[in-house]
Structure formats: structure tokens, C-alpha cells
Amino acid sequence: MNRNIEFEELGQRDYKEIWEYQEKLFQGILDQKIANRREGTSKATKNHLLFVEHPHVYTLGKSGDMSHLLINEEQLGLKNATFYKINRGGDITYHGPGQIVGYPILDLENFFSDIHKYLRLLEETIILTLEEYGIKAGRSKGETGVWLDSDTPFARKICAMGVRASRWVTMHGFAFNVNTDLGYFDNIIPCGIKGKAVTSLNVELGVKEVPVEEVKQKIKKHFSALFEAELVPPTP
């Protein structure tokens, strides 16, 4: 089992470009697994973790409802935003500046064969990161992601999640609102959940901006510990 995870910091990049890059990495792992089974070999499969920030974009999961996008194509243009239907689970969400988007592309057979556990560990990564800022976060029953005050009328989501998995290989991941312009969420019904708010780390801390690099280091620390993995530089 290969518990090394090749980490890449990609900066701000177009959503479609990184979606295609994810697909390439995802397919590379699948191809190796298929070759191992066909040829009776046991060559190690790779694991990846990508951090990226996207320009304004809305994405709709394969089971999502198009009516949860509340603006039309012309209005998208006026807001300098794009829209994609994609192949992850979940409904509609927003990505944009000030948000840390993490894409773990893992062969879970290097770790454990349990999608439910995988999602819970992703949530726990963000929950532990928020704890370092004095924020108590948790889960909302039946709703993937990380929430604050989930069992109260003041429930608000701070991190959305949606994944795709095939042959225990994952792609897509989480979107953690750090210094995000929350006004962009007004144009959708986030994750298809009505009547619940969205928040960000800087709003919860009552500050204009939280140092993003500092947050990333905390996420990486907790991700590595929870998955009992080592983040390493990417190989050519």
C-alpha cells in the first residue's frame, strides 16, 4: 500500500482546466489498477491532493436540480461567473476567490475501502482546522459537509463536499469558505438545501481577511494525520 500523497498547490486556475487535470490523474490510477489485475502485478498506485482557487464558477452535480441555479446565462456573464454540470455527487455549489478547494485523488485501497469513512475524514479535517481558530463545527444529519450550529435555527455551512469514486479511486472534494464573497451564494440554493445559510471563516472570526496560507498548512496537517499519510512533492 502506498500512503504517500503527492501534493500540488495550483494557485488560481480555471475550473474546467483543473477538472480535466483531475480526470487525467484519476484515469492514471484506474489504468494502473486495471493493469495490475490483468497482468497479475502489484505496482503501486499513486495518490494526489490538489489545492486550488477558482475564478467565480457554479457547478451542478449529476443528481442536482437545475432549478437551484437562480440566475440565467446573461446574469452569469454580468457576474463574471461560469457554470458547469459535472460528474460528482451532490447538488449545486459555488467556487470563487477566497475559497480553498481541495481535490484528493486517492486510491482508497491504499488506505481503507470505505466511502462513508472517507467523507467523514474529509469533514473531520475541516472540523479540526476550525477548532484551531476556536470555532466549534460539526455535521448536519443527512447532509455532507461541515456546519456550524447545525441543530439550531442559525445553522450555516462553511465547507461543502462532493465526490466521485470508481474502483475505490476518488476525485472532486471539498470547498472551504475562508475569505469568500458570500453574496455569490445568493444566486443558488446551495447544495439544494433551502432555509440554511452559508458562512466563511473570516465572517465567523469577525475579521476582514484570514491568512489563507496559514489555513492551508493546518488543513494539510490534519489531512495527513487522519489518513496516516505523508504529503510529498509530485513526481514527474
Side-chain angles (χ1 to χ4, degrees):
M1 292 195 300
N2 174 26
R3 288 183 177 267
N4 285 344
I5 299 175
E6 298 186 11
F7 173 75
E8 291 183 75
E9 172 60 72
L10 300 175
Q12 187 174 112
R13 304 279 278 274
D14 176 74
Y15 184 86
K16 190 169 187 294
E17 175 193 353
I18 301 306
W19 184 12
E20 290 172 350
Y21 184 47
Q22 282 191 80
E23 290 278 12
K24 178 182 175 183
L25 298 176
F26 179 85
Q27 192 60 50
I29 298 171
L30 283 181
D31 289 347
Q32 184 60 66
K33 296 186 78 165
I34 292 167
N36 282 344
R37 286 172 185 167
R38 184 178 62 241
E39 300 164 11
T41 55
S42 56
K43 292 182 181 177
T45 51
K46 287 189 173 186
N47 307 291
H48 306 270
L49 175 61
L50 314 178
F51 274 4
V52 66
E53 181 183 82
H54 293 303
H56 303 296
V57 60
Y58 297 100
T59 67
L60 183 71
K62 57 188 177 183
S63 59
D65 187 335
M66 189 66 193
S67 69
H68 293 158
L69 176 65
L70 306 178
I71 56 176
N72 58 34
E73 191 171 341
E74 181 183 355
Q75 290 168 315
L76 279 169
L78 291 173
K79 293 181 179 295
N80 294 316
T82 53
F83 171 78
Y84 293 102
K85 289 184 179 179
I86 61 173
N87 58 355
R88 59 160 171 78
D91 205 280
I92 196 164
T93 196
Y94 160 77
H95 299 308
Q99 188 183 69
I100 297 173
V101 180
Y103 295 130
I105 304 158
L106 309 180
D107 179 1
L108 287 184
E109 289 189 310
N110 285 324
F111 304 92
F112 46 77
S113 302
D114 186 335
I115 292 292
H116 179 81
K117 179 177 179 179
Y118 172 65
L119 288 168
R120 301 296 79 80
L121 289 187
L122 288 186
E123 291 166 344
E124 192 66 18
T125 297
I126 304 302
I127 289 168
L128 292 173
T129 299
L130 288 166
E131 195 174 275
E132 292 204 50
Y133 290 95
I135 296 173
K136 182 175 173 53
R139 300 171 178 85
S140 180
K141 189 174 181 181
E143 298 167 337
T144 301
V146 178
W147 296 76
L148 308 183
D149 297 327
S150 61
D151 297 325
T152 77
F154 307 104
R156 54 211 185 275
K157 191 177 222 178
I158 196 166
C159 182
M161 294 182 182
V163 304
R164 176 191 173 198
S166 177
R167 296 176 184 258
W168 299 111
V169 182
T170 69
M171 65 178 288
H172 300 295
F174 64 84
F176 180 24
N177 299 326
V178 179
N179 301 310
T180 313
D181 181 349
L182 300 178
Y184 275 83
F185 286 97
D186 295 339
N187 304 314
I188 59 174
I189 299 174
C191 304
I193 302 168
K194 297 179 180 179
K196 290 188 178 180
V198 177
T199 190
S200 61
L201 182 55
N202 70 318
V203 166
E204 294 299 322
L205 293 177
V207 299
K208 184 177 180 181
E209 191 169 308
V210 181
V212 173
E213 288 307 315
E214 174 187 280
V215 181
K216 288 178 179 177
Q217 292 305 314
K218 295 180 189 302
I219 294 172
K220 288 165 65 177
K221 176 182 68 177
H222 294 302
F223 184 91
S224 298
L226 288 166
F227 282 86
E228 299 178 4
E230 183 176 356
L231 299 184
V232 299
T235 56

